[in-house]
Amino acid sequence: MSIRINDTAPDFTADTTQGTINFHDWIGDSYAVLFSHPKNFTPVCTTELGAMAGLAGEFKKRNAKIIGISVDPVESHDKWKADIKTATGQSVEYPLIGDKDLKVAKLYDMLPAGAGDSSEGRTPADNATVRSVFVVGPDKKVKLTLTYPMTTGRNFDEILRAIDSIQLTAKHKVATPANWKQGEDVIITAAVPDDEAKEKFGEFERVLPYLRKAKQPKD
């Protein structure tokens, strides 16, 4: 099955470095960022897990939990965490899912059904498509998906920026323009007529008949 925005994120039970979890229960009333890796002890992923550890406080401010997954057993994750600390100076305190039977990777359409049922003997190239990020809302719906090649490290500041937009636009009848950041002007959605827009957002700028900009609403 392919995973699309607004689909319910597939639920699963899995072993992690912090014990067994049920994904939907673990999310609870938070947002969640599930990010995947093709193999432990790979250079790009080592930097990525450290980067996420360094940003853990920023995700927490946004009520977003972070969880990694790699198609290797949990025991291997525990050893990898020491390398991540050495390479990046960051301690990984968030859970890492062990997916040695490839169940979650297949469930999220990161590997084909015919990929087998064991991580044993598989190379990073065999698992190259296990490089996705899924942002899931408290309603357990998928809000964002991204997939990167193995040679391109992910920009997790962009994930934070996207979560800011997702949360803002879920609360107000606005959208965010290209390269938007917190505090910048937003777009008033077409569903809001001019009189309501003025009441909600005050004065606004009509750039085009279908493009109206206003100051970012305050919470």
Side-chain angles (χ1 to χ4, degrees):
M1 64 179 274
S2 59
I3 308 296
R4 299 181 177 89
I5 288 175
N6 291 328
D7 285 349
T8 298
D11 197 14
F12 58 85
T13 299
D15 292 332
T16 80
T17 51
Q18 296 182 9
T20 301
I21 67 157
N22 172 271
F23 187 49
H24 282 192
D25 290 345
W26 178 82
I27 294 172
D29 295 327
S30 302
Y31 282 78
V33 180
L34 172 68
F35 66 113
S36 64
H37 306 275
K39 193 78 178 168
N40 290 1
F41 308 106
T42 50
V44 173
C45 294
T46 297
T47 66
E48 290 178 333
L49 269 75
M52 278 297 261
L55 290 170
E58 290 299 319
F59 284 97
K60 187 174 181 180
K61 285 179 192 174
R62 294 160 171 81
N63 188 33
K65 296 179 177 180
I66 54 180
I67 187 165
I69 176 173
S70 180
V71 288
D72 276 311
V74 168
E75 311 84 73
S76 178
H77 293 354
D78 287 326
K79 295 175 184 174
W80 191 17
K81 285 164 67 174
D83 281 1
I84 295 163
K85 173 73 171 175
T86 299
T88 69
Q90 300 290 344
S91 297
V92 174
E93 305 294 344
Y94 53 85
L96 296 175
I97 297 166
D99 194 31
K100 63 181 180 180
D101 55 9
L102 314 182
K103 285 184 178 177
V104 179
K106 291 180 183 179
L107 186 64
Y108 275 74
D109 196 37
M110 294 183 284
L111 285 175
D117 56 8
S118 174
S119 63
E120 197 70 33
R122 293 180 65 86
T123 68
D126 294 329
N127 304 328
T129 51
V130 188
R131 288 279 295 151
S132 295
V133 180
F134 300 90
V135 175
V136 181
D139 57 0
K140 314 306 182 285
K141 302 288 187 183
V142 174
K143 307 299 181 184
L144 174 146
T145 66
L146 291 168
T147 302
Y148 286 70
M150 287 196 300
T151 51
T152 302
R154 286 170 272 198
N155 183 340
F156 292 107
D157 288 329
E158 164 60 12
I159 306 301
L160 288 169
R161 189 196 75 88
I163 290 172
D164 285 342
S165 173
I166 289 164
Q167 292 180 343
L168 177 70
T169 58
K171 188 171 185 179
H172 302 280
K173 293 179 180 179
V174 298
T176 56
N179 300 323
W180 173 89
K181 294 187 290 292
Q182 275 283 17
E184 294 182 348
D185 288 355
V186 298
I187 295 170
I188 303 168
T189 62
V192 181
D194 285 352
D195 55 349
E196 184 183 344
K198 191 165 184 178
E199 182 181 340
K200 281 181 175 294
F201 308 112
E203 295 301 320
F204 60 86
E205 176 190 4
R206 187 183 301 280
V207 181
L208 293 166
Y210 54 85
L211 174 57
R212 296 167 296 167
K213 285 189 172 183
K215 297 295 183 186
Q216 178 179 327
K218 295 182 179 176
D219 291 338

